């Protein structure tokens, strides 16, 4: 006896159509149109991430209006073992009163979180690992060592590292997807879109 073929609802057709469009619009996407549980994933290269990050710098913050701390020339590295990203910066410290400038460097690393509302990958849990400033007097070095890491961590916390294309976010929302799993790989950042419970 033949069983009747299930009728696809309008919502189901809409989901399948959106999934098919997603695979067409995004080269290299590993999605298929078999259902909303499938993931749409791709990898953003280290080179591309570094280009995007560099576009947000230099950035300057002030110490009580007397000293300016500038971070510039970011150089991004990947830490797959800890699922984090490392970044080295050139640093410039400028005294407003004495008009003196000191150069140095700062190394830090951070985790990543996905902001579904903005469709953005943001930095989180920023940790400064090394701070070095050339020829800075001892008293000032102690002051900078005490406050500069905190300023840098606050400055970078929640900074956008990568923003997903608007077309991709629209299609993901049409499918009812509400999250992205983020994995740091040796060659770049893997982003897998999927349902809200995705980890």
């Amino acid at each position: 006896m033949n069983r009747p073929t299930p009728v696809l609802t309008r919502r189901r057709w809409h989901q399948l159509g959106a999934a098919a469009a997603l695979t067409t619009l995004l080269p290299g996407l590993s999605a298929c149109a078999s259902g909303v549980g499938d993931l749409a994933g791709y990898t953003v290269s280290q080179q591309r991430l570094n280009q995007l990050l560099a576009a947000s710098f230099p950035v300057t913050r002030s110490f009580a209006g007397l000293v300016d701390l500038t971070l510039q020339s970011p150089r991004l590295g990947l830490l797959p073992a800890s699922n984090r990203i490392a970044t080295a910066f050139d640093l410039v410290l400028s005294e407003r009163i004495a008009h003196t400038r000191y150069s140095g460097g700062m190394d830090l690393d951070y985790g990543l979180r996905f902001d579904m509302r903005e469709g953005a990958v943001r930095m989180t849990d920023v940790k400064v690992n090394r701070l070095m400033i050339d020829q800075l007097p001892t008293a000032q070095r102690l002051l900078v060592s005490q406050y500069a890491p905190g300023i840098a961590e606050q400055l970078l916390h929640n900074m956008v590292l990568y923003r997903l294309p608007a077309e991709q976010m629209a299609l993901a929302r049409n499918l009812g997807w509400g999250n992205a799993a983020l994995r740091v790989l040796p060659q770049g950042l893997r982003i897998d879109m999927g349902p809200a419970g995705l980890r």
Side-chain angles (χ1 to χ4, degrees):
M1 177 177 178
N2 294 330
R3 296 183 178 180
T5 302
V7 177
L8 291 176
T9 65
R10 178 179 298 180
R11 176 175 175 79
R12 181 61 170 166
W13 277 114
H14 183 67
Q15 290 173 339
L16 291 174
L22 194 61
T23 61
T24 301
L25 290 176
L26 298 175
L29 219 52
S30 63
C32 65
S34 60
V36 297
D38 299 318
L39 301 181
Y42 65 104
T43 301
V44 186
S45 70
Q46 179 177 349
Q47 179 181 7
R48 180 59 177 156
L49 290 173
N50 204 63
Q51 290 172 345
L52 294 170
L53 184 61
S56 299
F57 288 85
V59 174
T60 300
R61 287 295 181 271
S62 176
F63 284 87
L66 300 175
V67 177
D68 292 332
L69 173 67
T70 299
L71 297 179
Q72 58 192 24
S73 304
R75 300 171 298 281
L76 184 145
L78 304 173
L79 304 174
S82 58
N83 204 39
R84 292 171 69 83
I85 291 181
T87 305
F89 293 93
D90 291 338
L91 178 154
V92 176
L93 197 68
S94 305
E95 292 182 304
R96 295 187 179 183
I97 296 177
H99 301 291
T100 54
R101 289 167 55 90
Y102 303 95
S103 61
M106 178 180 289
D107 297 343
L108 49 81
D109 64 79
Y110 43 87
L112 302 169
R113 72 175 185 87
F114 183 66
D115 180 346
M116 182 65 188
R117 186 173 68 87
E118 296 291 335
V121 177
R122 296 182 179 273
M123 301 179 187
T124 188
D125 188 27
V126 181
K127 295 181 179 179
V128 173
N129 301 314
R130 184 186 71 95
L131 171 64
M132 182 273 296
I133 302 178
D134 299 328
Q135 301 178 341
L136 189 66
T138 302
Q140 292 161 304
R141 186 182 303 118
L142 293 175
L143 186 65
V144 170
S145 298
Q146 181 178 358
Y147 291 104
I151 289 177
E153 290 167 2
Q154 292 176 15
L155 173 64
L156 298 178
H157 178 68
N158 270 336
M159 177 175 282
V160 174
L161 179 65
Y162 178 76
R163 196 176 296 277
L164 278 71
E167 295 85 356
Q168 181 187 358
M169 289 305 304
L171 288 169
R173 291 187 179 105
N174 286 339
L175 286 167
W177 293 347
N179 200 6
L182 307 175
R183 289 181 293 154
V184 179
L185 305 177
Q187 67 272 26
L189 173 63
R190 175 75 179 185
I191 303 174
D192 287 302
M193 296 293 299
L198 178 68
R199 289 292 182 270

